[in-house]
Amino acid sequence: MGSNTTEMRIRLIEHLGAAILPGDTPLDGDALGEAADFLLEAGAKRSTKRSALALESSTGERRILRIAVINDDMPFLVDSIAATITALGLSIDLLVHPVMPVTRDSKGVLTGIGKLGEDSDAARESMIYIETPRIDARQRRELLAQLRVTLGDVRAAVSDWPAMTGAIVQDAKQISGRDQEAGALLDWLGGGMLTQLGHLVRHRDGTVKNAKGICRKSTPDLLAENSYERAFEWFESSGRDGAQRELLIIKANRVANVHRPVPLDLFIVANRDGDARNGKVTSLSVHAGVWTSAALASSPRDVPVLRRNVTELTDKFGFSPSGHAGKALIHAFTTLPHDLMIALGSDDIERLATTMMSLVDRPRTRLVQVQSQLKRHVFAFVWLPRDMMSTDVRLQIQSLLTQEPGTEVLDWSLEVEGGALAMLEFLLDVRSTEALPDADAIEQKLEDLLRGWGEAVEHHLAQHDESARVPAIAARYAGAFPQNYRSRYGAAEAALDIERMRLLDGDDGNSMRGCRLYRLAKDDPNKLRLKIYHPQGQLALSDAVPALENFGFEVLAEVPTKLAEGELGTIHEFSMMLRGGEKAEPLLERAGAIEAAIAEVLNGQAEDDPFNRLVVATALDAREADLLRAFYRYLRQTGLSYTIYTVVDALDRAPNVTRAMIELFAARHDPAFEGDREKAAEKAESAFTAGLANVSAINDDRLLRSYKAVVDATLRTNVFAPAAAEALAFKIDSSLMPGLPKPVPWREVFVYSRRVEGIHLRSGAVARGGLRWSDRRDDFRTEV
């Protein structure tokens, strides 16, 4: 080692030792010498206006990654480099940043380092030494590439600072005559309140000119093409009171590499053709940067545009500046982030400020969402009691805000009040989502989250049940729900499920299955969900899926939730789709009838066959579907050869005809029928005839006429009597039934239930006997 190199090493060690901050990790002895050697090697040669970078994995006693960054001394180096490293998931164990005078020859070779504390005219260089945990080769390559991008952005932003300042001042002058506050804001920001990082002029045809700072390095496109189009449209529409819009303030999706890793703030001014007041917008002057700490901490009365909003709200509500309300308004504007508030419309600012005012004295959970000017982002403000704030709570809130597919959190921050209130602010990217987050639903879930699971379930149960048993019910069921259910559904849904589970115990002590039909807002139009409540244990899928398919549903998936490992029952959630592309929403208007029909099948109280499809497809209830099922069973005894699927398809394809037959039967036989029976029967007859005229298939026509014949031939029935719960009975005039085998009886009494069916044939008004047992299950009539 030459004498000059030895001298530079000694001086570099002095600079390094002096740059270690009190309380930071000590670096002395051999470690200090190793750091100096590493920096000397990395910075031995450096081109003008270029950075020197080096990474080294130590394999000695200290297993670390060393990073050396040698650069011209300039602002934003340390914080930008540190942010780049931590963004890749690395922790910084040590960072030392001496700035020292150095000399280099014409080829950039390091020839000397000035003494510590010595005044020198030599160029000053920043030599940054960093230690982090070791990483693999792929991660080192990624880190090196990101550091080069960051250093390029820092150099570009610093070197172009004068030009960018001149551009923002020029734009401020351009709009001041038309919007004094907007112009004053740009002037204020350009005066040191904005860390200016980039500037460009974007023309209508997509060309970009005058790119400065990061816009000529890592960020040539500050916005996507469609966002630029929206910006042009925004300027060409009217603003406040029909006035021309002069300044658009939005957040970019790109995070700054320089100074602070936050989304870039964009300040956009329109350049117009000809008359500045009425000319067409030809290009956009876009200024990119991040607010300085001083700007964010400024009094709202010192921030242009914000001070106008403060004055307008004070005047609107008649607040006295020295009164409690006036001071609370100023406090709200001071606490709410200036960089977000300045980008909102007056109505949104009023909503945020007044909400904040109402919470300071009475801390509670609230959520306010506002959309950005171009509808690309949503700013979500969440207030909650300070003592409830934790990382876990923040992550759960973040999960609630991003439940809509395509919603993404770009940034978040936390403000803790000196009193008892905490405020979380989220910047959400909603460009790829079809629906905005449901603020009311999220706020309700937030309240449940902060109450605690058991208390939240009890709260929602009390809204359905005012009895004194609610605490006991909640105590029994709430703790039985597993954690994955709690995070997926929430306490309000649990309360609904508990109410259904409690109904499963019948009056006779036998447990019954229940169900609930619903859908979520995010579901496809033809998608439905069904929860089946099964007491004790678990429902076999082979019991449920075929039954649901007979109702016309296509089962997509099933998720079971065991309560207390099944001891209190199981909730089976089925995701289902309607066949034929039908809409699911109208079915929810008849959810009660459909749920009852499904429950009867699951509990063995009704047949599990394709006739159940008519409950969904033709808006029948379970009793009406059972009536048509009984007619089919009778027609089979008359010699009808069509299968059950053919019959149901015919009834399904002609819903108007099917409904007309049901209405005609009710008009003739329902003792509780209200209105003129004859007119109702005539109307049903007409509807049947009109509907039948639209039936083109010959087999469908024959089937429907056969059904109509049974309706016309029925003289008496117990369908509308309590006995129908046991079995349906029909007294039929056989002479009115076409195609009956000879000899045709005088009357027939057909009895049907899911357990037994049979025919009592009578040859005259006086007859003996009744139903007899038959071993012939399908054609017992021929045995009689």
Side-chain angles (χ1 to χ4, degrees):
M1 182 181 294
S3 59
N4 188 43
T5 303
T6 302
E7 183 180 350
M8 287 194 295
R9 183 177 187 271
I10 293 172
R11 291 184 177 179
L12 180 54
I13 289 174
E14 293 175 352
H15 284 285
L16 281 171
I20 298 175
L21 297 175
D24 205 343
T25 304
L27 189 66
D28 49 23
D30 293 341
L32 191 59
E34 290 173 3
D37 292 338
F38 179 55
L39 282 173
L40 279 175
E41 182 180 356
K45 185 175 181 180
R46 184 176 71 86
S47 301
T48 305
K49 296 185 178 181
R50 296 294 298 272
S51 303
L53 271 173
L55 273 66
E56 177 185 79
S57 286
S58 172
T59 57
E61 183 178 344
R62 300 174 64 234
R63 299 174 61 82
I64 59 174
L65 174 70
R66 292 191 176 100
I67 304 171
V69 184
I70 293 89
N71 200 18
D72 297 323
D73 184 31
M74 60 180 64
F76 313 133
L77 278 174
V78 175
D79 45 9
S80 302
I81 291 171
T84 301
I85 294 172
T86 55
L88 295 176
L90 283 173
S91 61
I92 298 176
D93 299 328
L94 177 66
L95 190 153
V96 187
H97 178 219
V99 178
M100 64 199 77
V102 301
T103 55
R104 294 183 182 274
D105 62 17
S106 59
K107 295 182 179 180
V109 175
L110 183 65
T111 58
I113 296 178
K115 293 180 180 179
L116 182 65
E118 177 185 49
D119 291 332
S120 173
D121 294 333
R124 299 180 68 80
E125 285 192 5
S126 162
M127 292 193 179
I128 302 175
Y129 175 77
I130 299 172
E131 291 182 0
T132 75
R134 292 182 63 184
I135 54 178
D136 60 32
R138 181 189 60 81
Q139 292 173 304
R140 290 198 300 272
R141 289 193 297 271
E142 182 181 1
L143 174 59
L144 191 60
Q146 289 296 323
L147 285 173
R148 292 194 187 281
V149 171
T150 296
L151 291 169
D153 278 355
V154 171
R155 186 176 294 277
V158 172
S159 60
D160 290 352
W161 187 289
M164 293 187 291
T165 300
I168 200 170
V169 170
Q170 180 62 37
D171 281 343
K173 291 180 180 178
Q174 174 185 325
I175 65 175
S176 290
R178 299 184 296 276
D179 188 334
Q180 185 176 355
E181 280 296 283
L185 176 63
L186 285 184
D187 212 20
W188 182 77
L189 292 169
M193 294 300 182
L194 181 72
T195 302
Q196 297 181 71
L197 302 180
H199 174 253
L200 58 79
V201 176
R202 175 60 154 68
H203 290 265
R204 277 276 193 182
D205 60 5
T207 58
V208 174
K209 295 183 178 180
N210 301 329
K212 303 294 183 185
I214 63 173
C215 297
R216 64 177 176 86
K217 296 296 288 184
S218 70
T219 317
D221 297 318
L222 292 170
L223 291 172
E225 179 65 31
N226 62 341
S227 295
Y228 276 118
E229 286 301 318
R230 289 185 184 183
F232 277 106
E233 293 171 1
W234 187 85
F235 278 108
E236 289 170 347
S237 60
S238 298
R240 293 163 57 96
D241 302 324
Q244 177 177 285
R245 287 170 162 166
E246 301 295 345
L247 178 62
L248 173 62
I249 305 172
I250 58 176
K251 291 280 186 180
N253 279 19
R254 292 182 176 272
V255 174
N257 289 325
V258 180
H259 190 33
R260 286 189 290 126
V262 295
L264 289 166
D265 292 283
L266 304 183
F267 302 85
I268 307 175
V269 175
N271 296 318
R272 301 178 186 270
D273 185 15
D275 185 356
R277 291 189 177 276
N278 301 306
K280 182 180 179 181
V281 178
T282 58
S283 63
L284 303 175
S285 177
V286 186
H287 304 271
V290 294
W291 287 58
T292 65
S293 300
L296 292 172
S298 297
S299 167
R301 292 194 180 278
D302 296 331
V303 182
V305 178
L306 275 188
R307 63 193 180 195
R308 177 174 63 190
N309 289 313
V310 171
T311 300
E312 288 177 350
L313 288 179
T314 300
D315 294 342
K316 177 178 180 178
F317 294 109
F319 294 153
S320 170
S322 59
H324 176 75
K327 292 178 180 178
L329 180 65
I330 293 296
H331 176 74
F333 268 89
T334 302
T335 305
L336 291 164
H338 295 350
D339 58 326
L340 298 186
M341 291 284 282
I342 205 78
L344 302 178
S346 56
D347 291 341
D348 291 329
I349 290 174
E350 177 182 329
R351 187 154 56 103
L352 280 170
T354 53
T355 300
M356 182 79 187
M357 290 173 64
S358 70
L359 295 172
V360 171
D361 295 328
R362 191 165 66 90
R364 58 195 187 279
T365 305
R366 282 299 308 274
L367 167 66
V368 173
Q369 295 182 157
V370 293
Q371 269 194 296
S372 65
Q373 300 283 19
L374 300 186
K375 313 299 182 186
R376 301 162 59 248
H377 298 139
V378 165
F379 303 117
F381 295 81
V382 181
W383 290 271
L384 64 160
R386 185 180 65 179
D387 292 343
M388 298 291 186
M389 188 62 223
S390 68
T391 299
D392 183 60
V393 168
R394 193 261 302 172
L395 291 174
Q396 291 187 61
I397 294 172
Q398 187 169 314
S399 177
L400 291 175
L401 292 170
T402 54
Q403 283 184 337
E404 288 294 337
T407 305
E408 180 184 355
V409 173
L410 293 178
D411 192 33
W412 69 272
S413 60
L414 171 66
E415 179 76 24
V416 179
E417 278 284 293
L421 191 67
M423 179 176 68
L424 280 164
E425 307 132 29
F426 294 91
L427 174 60
L428 307 177
D429 183 359
V430 295
R431 293 174 302 166
S432 302
T433 187
E434 296 181 359
L436 297 179
D438 187 337
D440 292 338
I442 293 174
E443 187 171 304
Q444 181 63 67
K445 290 181 179 179
L446 282 177
E447 291 179 358
D448 292 343
L449 173 67
L450 300 179
R451 278 194 184 102
W453 176 255
E455 185 181 343
V457 171
E458 182 179 338
H459 169 77
H460 287 286
L461 277 172
Q463 295 180 346
H464 304 289
D465 187 346
E466 297 181 357
S467 70
R469 298 184 58 210
V470 166
I473 295 170
R476 181 189 182 195
Y477 283 98
F481 287 91
Q483 187 58 47
N484 60 346
Y485 176 99
R486 302 182 189 189
S487 58
R488 182 179 181 188
Y489 297 101
E493 183 73 4
L496 292 175
D497 288 339
I498 290 171
E499 286 294 313
R500 294 299 181 107
M501 292 294 290
R502 291 180 56 222
L503 298 176
L504 299 185
D505 294 332
D507 296 335
D508 56 359
N510 296 322
S511 294
M512 308 290 284
R513 295 164 178 166
C515 58
R516 177 163 65 92
L517 197 67
Y518 66 105
R519 65 187 304 271
L520 303 179
K522 65 181 181 181
D523 288 339
D524 294 334
N526 64 338
K527 187 175 180 181
L528 272 172
R529 295 173 188 264
L530 178 77
K531 284 190 176 181
I532 295 178
Y533 303 94
H534 184 76
Q536 295 185 340
Q538 192 168 354
L539 173 69
L541 290 181
S542 58
D543 290 345
V545 174
L548 296 178
E549 289 177 340
N550 275 333
F551 276 90
F553 300 120
E554 181 178 341
V555 179
L556 303 177
E558 182 264 350
V559 178
T561 299
K562 295 181 180 180
L563 303 187
E565 296 300 321
E567 292 183 11
L568 292 180
T570 302
I571 303 170
H572 298 265
E573 182 193 28
F574 289 86
S575 297
M576 308 182 302
M577 187 169 62
L578 291 175
R579 294 164 182 161
E582 297 179 18
K583 304 293 185 183
E585 190 65 36
L587 293 184
L588 295 183
E589 299 175 5
R590 304 179 46 252
I594 297 174
E595 291 168 1
I598 295 174
E600 286 186 8
V601 171
L602 294 176
N603 291 315
Q605 298 170 334
E607 295 272 19
D608 181 11
D609 64 23
F611 272 96
N612 292 324
R613 193 196 330 153
L614 301 178
V615 175
V616 175
T618 59
L620 302 184
D621 58 30
R623 179 183 58 81
E624 292 167 339
D626 208 30
L627 174 63
L628 295 176
R629 181 183 291 112
F631 284 173
Y632 167 68
R633 295 297 180 89
Y634 170 73
L635 286 170
R636 285 186 60 191
Q637 299 304 313
T638 69
L640 184 76
S641 60
Y642 295 110
T643 67
I644 189 172
Y645 300 99
T646 303
V647 173
V648 172
D649 286 343
L651 294 168
D652 186 6
R653 282 192 289 263
N656 293 336
V657 175
T658 302
R659 290 293 319 168
M661 290 190 292
I662 295 292
E663 291 166 3
L664 177 60
F665 191 84
R668 289 175 176 172
H669 299 289
D670 186 357
F673 185 86
E674 297 181 358
D676 191 319
R677 289 184 183 272
E678 291 187 5
K679 288 185 178 180
E682 290 176 2
K683 183 178 178 181
E685 291 269 14
S686 299
F688 176 86
T689 303
L692 198 63
N694 296 321
V695 176
S696 57
I698 186 65
N699 285 340
D700 288 6
D701 183 272
R702 288 174 180 168
L703 284 168
L704 295 171
R705 290 182 187 276
S706 297
Y707 260 85
K708 175 65 160 46
V710 179
V711 173
D712 291 338
T714 301
L715 301 176
R716 295 175 61 193
T717 182
N718 74 338
V719 168
F720 302 99
E726 184 67 26
L728 301 181
F730 306 87
K731 185 176 183 181
I732 296 172
D733 185 345
S734 304
S735 65
L736 298 180
M737 284 300 304
L740 283 183
K742 305 296 184 179
V744 176
W746 180 68
R747 297 286 187 268
E748 301 173 55
V749 177
F750 176 68
V751 176
Y752 163 77
S753 77
R754 59 178 299 272
R755 296 193 308 274
V756 64
E757 61 182 278
I759 295 179
H760 177 207
L761 304 181
R762 302 178 63 177
S763 59
V766 179
R768 297 173 60 190
L771 297 186
R772 55 165 288 181
W773 173 259
S774 173
D775 291 328
R776 305 182 66 171
R777 178 177 176 181
D778 295 325
D779 61 345
F780 50 80
R781 179 193 181 99
T782 61
E783 185 178 317
V784 175

